[in-house]
Amino acid sequence: MTDRLDEILRNDAQHALPDAGFSARVMRALPAPALRSRRWLQPALILGSALAGCLLAVLLAPAEAGITQGFADLMHLKLFTPAAIAGLAMAAALLVSAVVLAAEAD
Amino acid sequence: MPAAPAPSDADLILAVLERADRGAFAQLVVRHQSQVRTVLRRLTKGDAALADDLAQETFVLAWRNLKAFRFEARFSTWIYRIAFNAWQSEARKKREVLMEIDDEAPPPGSHAFEEMPDVAARVDLERAMATLSDGERAAIAACYYGDLSHEEAAAALGIPLGTVKTHILRAKAKLKARLAPPEKSP
């Protein structure tokens, strides 16, 4: 038996829905072209800003607040020395950048 | 001079991937919108507005994730998978989507289908589809409306091949019963 139900289902499936503006609506909902073609820009800006901030912190920090000294202070649980605060700030800046980039990747 | 043949789906996808060609993607949308929207209308039990919203979401996701498309599969198979996922996500917001096999027996009267007159083709297929379980409706939508093979449907729905076949058999039995004319009284 040729399945009558098959025929009904296939006829129903072949019924073409008129576009009625649907495709235009989809195209309007797509992300802006500039964002798509330069996807590297946003991560580069975020990471660049974080690294520039870290570099400035290293350059402008007092001599006794060097980054190596800061991490040494942190290892000895001296959290509030200028060097330790500079180290924590750098780590926080890089952490925030990583979180932002991870959120964007989703 | 003969007109140039229409570009294939693969050509259009390459144009999108290489040049972010929105015109090429628009052609893909125009080409596939009817089937995607029809599949989603059947899945959403005829809710045209919701189906169109999900279809829009499907195409936007396809644009964003096109670089993940593997050219071994048909574009339609790939986009139906996105559409099914969109429908399942939407349905889960309201209730659990049950893709398991429904043990409910088909309603009596399925034997009468073979005698179904032509006029019965006008019956409300949409309403009959709405009586199926989620899994049965998804399997019918994939295989008949999405024109996927059972294997492709299993991959698109993320369920075993045997479950797809069972869903199809049970759904057809239920639809036959629903679409059959009422039995004549003696």
Side-chain angles (χ1 to χ4, degrees):
Chain A
M1 180 189 81
T2 302
D3 199 332
R4 180 102 174 86
L5 179 61
D6 274 358
E7 189 185 329
I8 291 174
L9 287 168
R10 293 200 189 283
N11 284 343
D12 189 46
Q14 280 166 12
H15 172 72
L17 281 180
D19 189 277
F22 174 80
S23 298
R25 187 179 134 193
V26 168
M27 296 311 292
R28 282 195 300 274
L30 295 185
L35 289 177
R36 185 177 170 80
S37 59
R38 287 198 272 169
R39 297 179 76 168
W40 53 269
L41 187 60
Q42 192 176 13
L45 282 174
I46 293 169
L47 270 181
S49 306
L51 290 174
C54 291
L55 190 65
L56 278 175
V58 169
L59 291 177
L60 299 178
E64 70 275 14
I67 189 69
T68 314
Q69 180 59 46
F71 287 118
D73 287 352
L74 287 173
M75 281 177 66
H76 293 97
L77 296 177
K78 294 178 187 168
L79 301 180
F80 300 106
T81 66
I85 290 172
L88 279 175
M90 279 185 208
L94 290 173
L95 182 66
V96 168
S97 307
V99 169
V100 169
L101 288 175
E104 287 292 316
D106 288 343
Chain B
M1 196 173 98
S8 67
D9 283 355
D11 294 335
L12 294 171
I13 292 165
L14 282 174
V16 175
L17 292 176
E18 289 169 3
R19 304 187 297 277
D21 185 339
R22 296 168 81 88
F25 190 75
Q27 285 188 64
L28 283 170
V29 176
V30 168
R31 196 174 282 180
H32 293 279
Q33 61 85 18
S34 176
Q35 269 193 303
V36 171
R37 290 164 69 208
T38 302
V39 165
L40 284 165
R41 281 186 190 197
R42 292 294 167 261
L43 289 171
T44 57
K45 303 180 184 179
D47 186 338
L50 175 61
D52 279 6
D53 285 347
L54 291 175
Q56 177 178 321
E57 186 184 328
T58 296
F59 282 109
V60 171
L61 283 171
W63 167 264
R64 287 193 169 133
N65 297 299
L66 202 57
K67 61 175 181 287
F69 176 71
R70 298 284 169 264
F71 285 84
E72 310 95 64
R74 286 186 293 164
F75 177 71
S76 55
T77 309
W78 184 72
I79 202 159
Y80 290 137
R81 181 165 203 157
I82 299 176
F84 285 121
N85 285 340
W87 164 68
Q88 285 179 322
S89 297
E90 175 65 27
R92 281 197 187 103
K93 287 179 196 164
K94 297 172 185 168
R95 61 182 168 77
E96 192 65 33
V97 179
L98 298 173
M99 297 297 283
E100 294 85 32
I101 293 166
D102 177 11
D103 285 333
E104 186 190 333
S110 53
H111 61 280
F113 185 77
E114 289 176 41
E115 298 155 20
M116 197 168 87
D118 286 343
V119 70
R122 296 194 304 256
V123 297
D124 193 350
L125 181 60
E126 201 164 282
R127 284 177 64 186
M129 289 275 287
T131 65
L132 303 179
S133 72
D134 289 333
E136 290 162 352
R137 208 165 54 254
I140 288 283
C143 295
Y144 286 89
Y145 294 87
D147 198 26
L148 305 184
S149 66
H150 287 177
E151 289 80 6
E152 289 171 330
L157 297 171
I159 54 178
L161 175 61
T163 306
V164 171
K165 290 179 178 175
T166 306
H167 280 325
I168 294 282
L169 281 174
R170 290 184 182 220
K172 285 170 75 172
K174 286 183 185 176
L175 287 174
K176 280 178 184 177
R178 299 277 178 197
L179 295 174
E183 290 182 34
K184 289 170 191 161
S185 53

